[in-house]
Amino acid sequence: MENQNVYEKPVTLGHIFKFAVPTIAMTVFMSFYTMVDGLFVSNLIGTDALAAINLTAPVIQLVTAISTMLATGGSAVIMKKMGEQKYGEAKEDFTFLILVNALAGILMCAAGYLVMDDIFAGMHLSAGVEGYCVEYLGRYLLFTVPILLMNNFTLYMIASGKAALSLVCSVTGGVLNMVLDYVFLAGFGMGISGAVVATGLGYSVTAVVGLFVFSRKKSLLHFKKPAFRLKVLANAAVNGCSEMASALVTGIITMMFNWTMLRYAGEDGVAAVTVVMYVLMFASSLYTGYSYGVAPMLSYYHGERNHEKLKKLVAVSLKVVAGISLVTVAASFMLTGSLVSVFARPDNPVYDLAVTGNRICTVALFFIGFNIFASGMFTALSNGVVSAVLAFSRSFVFMLAAMTVLPLLLGVNGIWLATPVAELMALALSVFMFLKHRKKYGY
């Protein structure tokens, strides 16, 4: 149990960063998977293809939602058992949940092919954009199982004290994706299919490495004959339902953004939304990475009822999130023109739309980090209900209200303003829940 000693060390900023820095780098590289696709697609194919990537996002978010639920919820359940010294049971449950992921991936892949054509036929898109959508999603579904395994193995490597290996896998996958994007699009002329295949192979790196790592008994967590405890699956689903809701609702809200933009600014507006979402996704990956990194620590300290360490970890985390927020806001404001120009030239109508949108949406970065951390914290503390309320309110209720009202009053600028307004309302709810449950968990 040598690896377990990492949880017995004092809670210092340096020790926290040993967990968090690799996961921050990991999530940043994961965000590169999508951003690099957009970069090559927009420059080598065109902004119609870029719009198609965003139009397929709601379906892709469904895959992400299921994998995120099982990964974050399962990690919280298993690491809580490790903190309770139930090592054998934790390994049985770990193996069981990985098998569930593989089965879920197969079922989602099959379902996706059955409904794919009907989804895009009802959007009244131009023939070219609709063709890109079908081609992109059709190739993406082939990698459903590796994507689910990648999301799970990433978190379980971190929980097993192998955060550095998780980082190496993510970096390797990201670099492979970038190289293959160039080879498949610029070299072989494979079009938008080449971008998907490059991304899928990048995802597969962590999935393949994880299968080898967790087959070795030296790992803190490793495969063992599974025990089919449905209660474990239910607990993982409940604990991870907030993250699932967040990912799922992100797809719904993306769909609303697309429909609203199609009405106000046409397909150029959808392409502009894609560019702005890339910037927000990159900044959000910093917060998500930090939350992933400290989640096993939160779960472990909660399991062993070490309130002193838990309180210090939360206090330091809030300061770290505040620091990241200030840096990302400043960088996004100063680099708006340069960031947008990577995806659209200044003479393209998409450019002006995206520049305006990014400057307005950047305000949301003051609030996003605290909301992501609050939801992740309650998941790690095995309170999936509170986490789900936070995530669902933030991603759906508040966004739906803002998206319904603001565009009617302010037009296209109202669409952009919806994100910061929704995040501000979510921050108020996060603060309320944080204070309400403070005594219960002792943070």
Side-chain angles (χ1 to χ4, degrees):
M1 291 299 168
E2 183 180 350
N3 286 328
Q4 195 176 353
N5 291 334
V6 295
Y7 295 99
E8 298 174 2
K9 295 180 180 179
V11 178
T12 62
L13 187 61
H15 181 50
I16 293 172
F17 279 170
K18 286 182 180 179
F19 275 79
V21 170
T23 56
I24 291 173
M26 171 200 69
T27 52
V28 167
F29 267 88
M30 287 172 65
S31 71
F32 278 163
Y33 292 167
T34 305
M35 293 178 66
V36 171
D37 283 347
L39 173 63
F40 280 98
V41 166
S42 61
N43 284 281
L44 297 179
I45 304 177
T47 52
D48 280 353
L50 184 65
I53 292 179
N54 197 24
L55 290 165
T56 60
V59 181
I60 291 173
Q61 284 295 337
L62 178 60
V63 177
T64 303
I66 300 299
S67 64
T68 301
M69 175 191 71
L70 294 173
T72 57
S75 176
V77 169
I78 289 170
M79 291 314 296
K80 184 173 182 289
K81 286 190 176 183
M82 294 294 285
E84 296 168 343
Q85 316 299 311
K86 299 177 181 178
Y87 305 125
E89 192 174 319
K91 293 167 188 173
E92 292 171 352
D93 295 342
F94 162 67
T95 308
F96 169 55
L97 291 176
I98 293 300
L99 291 175
V100 169
N101 272 272
L103 178 61
I106 294 171
L107 294 176
M108 283 192 289
C109 179
Y113 277 108
L114 289 176
V115 302
M116 182 170 56
D117 290 334
D118 294 333
I119 292 174
F120 300 116
M123 289 187 179
H124 307 293
L125 304 169
S126 64
V129 173
E130 183 176 343
Y132 284 135
C133 289
V134 172
E135 185 179 354
Y136 188 88
L137 184 59
R139 302 298 182 274
Y140 186 92
L141 289 171
L142 295 174
F143 293 95
T144 305
V145 173
I147 289 169
L148 264 73
L149 293 180
M150 180 273 297
N151 282 333
N152 279 264
F153 287 154
T154 292
L155 292 189
Y156 286 121
M157 284 182 191
I158 297 164
S160 298
K162 301 181 185 297
L165 177 61
S166 179
L167 172 60
V168 169
C169 290
S170 298
V171 171
T172 302
V175 172
L176 180 64
N177 180 32
M178 297 175 199
V179 172
L180 292 181
D181 265 325
Y182 179 79
V183 172
F184 291 160
L185 272 70
F188 295 161
M190 292 174 61
I192 201 169
S193 291
V196 188
V197 174
T199 299
L201 293 175
Y203 283 144
S204 299
V205 171
T206 302
V208 173
V209 172
L211 290 173
F212 283 102
V213 168
F214 293 113
S215 296
R216 301 178 61 193
K217 293 185 178 181
K218 292 182 179 180
S219 177
L220 179 63
L221 283 175
H222 57 258
F223 295 132
K224 187 177 182 180
K225 184 178 180 180
F228 294 89
R229 286 185 276 265
L230 293 180
K231 184 179 179 181
V232 171
L233 178 59
N235 288 339
V238 170
N239 283 329
C241 66
S242 63
E243 279 70 23
M244 180 189 73
S246 181
L248 190 59
V249 169
T250 296
I252 297 173
I253 294 301
T254 299
M255 207 158 37
M256 286 185 60
F257 262 108
N258 292 338
W259 287 343
T260 308
M261 270 298 185
L262 282 171
R263 185 167 70 237
Y264 281 89
E267 292 175 351
D268 285 339
V270 176
V273 168
T274 310
V275 175
V276 174
M277 282 187 172
Y278 284 157
V279 177
L280 289 178
M281 177 180 65
F282 177 80
S284 296
S285 69
L286 299 171
Y287 310 122
T288 304
Y290 182 83
S291 297
Y292 281 169
V294 299
M297 300 174 72
L298 290 166
S299 298
Y300 194 93
Y301 298 148
H302 173 55
E304 69 173 3
R305 300 182 182 278
N306 194 327
H307 299 300
E308 182 180 350
K309 284 188 174 182
L310 189 61
K311 184 176 182 178
K312 187 169 184 181
L313 177 58
V314 172
V316 173
S317 295
L318 291 176
K319 294 177 182 177
V320 171
V321 170
I324 296 175
S325 298
L326 293 175
V327 172
T328 54
V329 168
S332 184
F333 268 123
M334 290 188 295
L335 300 175
T336 289
S338 300
L339 291 171
V340 173
S341 66
V342 171
F343 298 94
R345 296 178 180 177
D347 59 348
N348 190 316
V350 172
Y351 178 85
D352 289 333
L353 283 167
V355 166
T356 301
N358 191 68
R359 285 175 177 158
I360 295 174
C361 286
T362 291
V363 177
L365 295 178
F366 280 118
F367 321 121
I368 290 176
F370 294 102
N371 293 327
I372 290 176
F373 176 74
S375 180
M377 181 187 74
F378 282 110
T379 295
L381 295 175
S382 294
N383 194 332
V385 175
V386 171
S387 185
V389 169
L390 292 176
F392 186 74
S393 298
R394 169 194 171 224
S395 301
F396 186 69
V397 177
F398 298 142
M399 277 298 300
L400 180 62
M403 280 292 295
T404 301
V405 175
L406 294 177
L408 295 176
L409 299 175
L410 302 171
V412 174
N413 285 342
I415 300 175
W416 298 127
L417 192 59
T419 298
V421 169
E423 291 291 347
L424 179 59
M425 290 190 287
L427 178 63
L429 182 60
S430 295
V431 171
F432 172 77
M433 289 296 188
F434 184 89
L435 296 176
K436 179 181 178 181
H437 293 278
R438 196 168 195 170
K439 289 185 179 178
K440 177 180 178 180
Y441 294 107
Y443 53 74

